[in-house]
Amino acid sequence: DADVTQTPRNRITKTGKRIMLECSQTKGHDRMYWYRQDPGLGLRLIYYSFDVKDINKGEISDGYSVSRQAQAKFSLSLESAIPNQTALYFCATSAKDRGNQPQHFGDGTRLSIL
Amino acid sequence: GEDVEQSLFLSVREGDSSVINCTYTDSSSTYLYWYKQEPGAGLQLLTYIFSNMDMKQDQRLTVLLNKKDKHLSLRIADTQTGDSAIYFCAESFRSQGNLIFGKGTKLSVKP
């Protein structure tokens, strides 16, 4: 979905480094999400934000932090990367609606930690 | 708690119908979704169904919902090689903003 842009698309780095993954959206959605995808485990929610001042931990937030700099931007940081954080990371957005809330995904960031 | 289960693999021949199944545990879900993930790409929303509906059809896609058994299925008619992908089912809840995803079903279409 070109309306949700993730940078970088690929990143290789070393254990202990600080990494930031960025997500920006032009959909005007209030809600943004970070997931990681591992083979056989599906998508697991790391953090989510319902608006600029509302940030919540997801299922697997340990080792990660986020920043919602503006309605359109939501970044994910790994303060000190470790090899088991090697995964495919997705950002998603959704509208503020208590009913139908489909999430719209970026194309992902493939992160490898050596 | 919420849980969404899918079988991990499905293999069909080109031209046949594919049926991908999903079960969920929480009866308070409001919408149920099907997403498609092609290799190297993000998740693409295919279709969704409101929880008070039984069926929804959209071209080659048919979604069936059995609320009593908490069972959701996605039927793809005349399956093509371009349908090869991982398919995720997901549910949402009126009281929350999150989606709960299954682990995905990898569909392989053989010529």
Side-chain angles (χ1 to χ4, degrees), chain A residues 47-87:
Chain A
Y47 269 96
Y48 60 103
S49 170
F50 283 177
D51 64 40
V52 174
K53 295 181 181 178
D54 182 5
I55 293 178
N56 305 278
K57 291 183 178 181
E59 180 187 351
I60 52 160
S61 58
D62 287 349
Y64 301 95
S65 62
V66 290
S67 174
R68 185 82 184 265
Q69 301 95 323
Q71 189 208 33
K73 295 184 184 295
F74 192 37
S75 59
L76 175 72
S77 293
L78 289 68
E79 294 301 325
S80 179
I82 55 177
N84 75 2
Q85 291 177 312
T86 293

Side-chain angles (χ1 to χ4, degrees), chain B residues 28-70:
Chain B
S28 63
S29 58
T30 52
Y31 281 88
L32 295 131
Y33 304 89
W34 284 104
Y35 284 85
K36 176 183 181 183
Q37 185 183 27
E38 297 183 17
L43 276 71
Q44 171 198 355
L45 178 66
L46 275 182
T47 187
Y48 61 88
I49 188 167
F50 186 44
S51 56
N52 70 353
M53 297 169 62
D54 298 324
M55 185 181 88
K56 181 177 180 181
Q57 187 154 3
D58 183 1
Q59 299 182 327
R60 291 192 297 123
L61 305 179
T62 303
V63 179
L64 295 177
L65 176 60
N66 181 329
K67 285 191 70 176
K68 175 176 171 289
D69 295 338
K70 299 188 184 69

Side-chain angles (χ1 to χ4, degrees), chain A residues 1-74:
Chain A
D1 190 329
D3 298 325
V4 183
T5 303
Q6 293 184 234
T7 56
R9 291 297 314 279
N10 293 281
R11 178 80 185 267
I12 300 172
T13 191
K14 294 182 179 179
T15 298
K17 294 290 188 183
R18 184 178 187 274
I19 314 277
M20 180 181 284
L21 308 184
E22 306 208 23
C23 177
S24 62
Q25 51 116 346
T26 58
K27 299 186 81 68
H29 287 167
D30 289 304
R31 299 179 172 185
M32 298 186 74
Y33 309 81
W34 276 105
Y35 292 89
R36 67 177 277 176
Q37 184 180 23
D38 299 275
L41 294 179
L43 274 78
R44 292 183 291 167
L45 182 63
I46 306 172
Y47 269 96
Y48 60 103
S49 170
F50 283 177
D51 64 40
V52 174
K53 295 181 181 178
D54 182 5
I55 293 178
N56 305 278
K57 291 183 178 181
E59 180 187 351
I60 52 160
S61 58
D62 287 349
Y64 301 95
S65 62
V66 290
S67 174
R68 185 82 184 265
Q69 301 95 323
Q71 189 208 33
K73 295 184 184 295
F74 192 37

Side-chain angles (χ1 to χ4, degrees), chain B:
Chain B
E2 311 108 355
D3 199 12
V4 178
E5 299 280 345
Q6 301 178 240
S7 55
L8 293 182
F9 301 99
L10 176 65
S11 180
V12 300
R13 292 211 172 273
E14 192 173 17
D16 288 350
S17 292
S18 307
V19 180
I20 302 171
N21 295 302
C22 171
T23 58
Y24 58 97
T25 55
D26 197 319
S27 58
S28 63
S29 58
T30 52
Y31 281 88
L32 295 131
Y33 304 89
W34 284 104
Y35 284 85
K36 176 183 181 183
Q37 185 183 27
E38 297 183 17
L43 276 71
Q44 171 198 355
L45 178 66
L46 275 182
T47 187
Y48 61 88
I49 188 167
F50 186 44
S51 56
N52 70 353
M53 297 169 62
D54 298 324
M55 185 181 88
K56 181 177 180 181
Q57 187 154 3
D58 183 1
Q59 299 182 327
R60 291 192 297 123
L61 305 179
T62 303
V63 179
L64 295 177
L65 176 60
N66 181 329
K67 285 191 70 176
K68 175 176 171 289
D69 295 338
K70 299 188 184 69
H71 182 266
L72 180 73
S73 67
L74 173 69
R75 179 177 180 269
I76 305 172
D78 187 24
T79 312
Q80 303 298 306
T81 54
D83 294 323
S84 293
I86 300 175
Y87 291 81
F88 292 91
C89 103
E91 57 177 344
S92 70
F93 305 89
R94 185 177 296 280
S95 60
Q96 302 175 26
N98 300 338
L99 295 185
I100 307 297
F101 285 87
K103 290 181 170 49
T105 299
K106 184 173 182 179
L107 174 65
S108 298
V109 182
K110 300 185 187 311

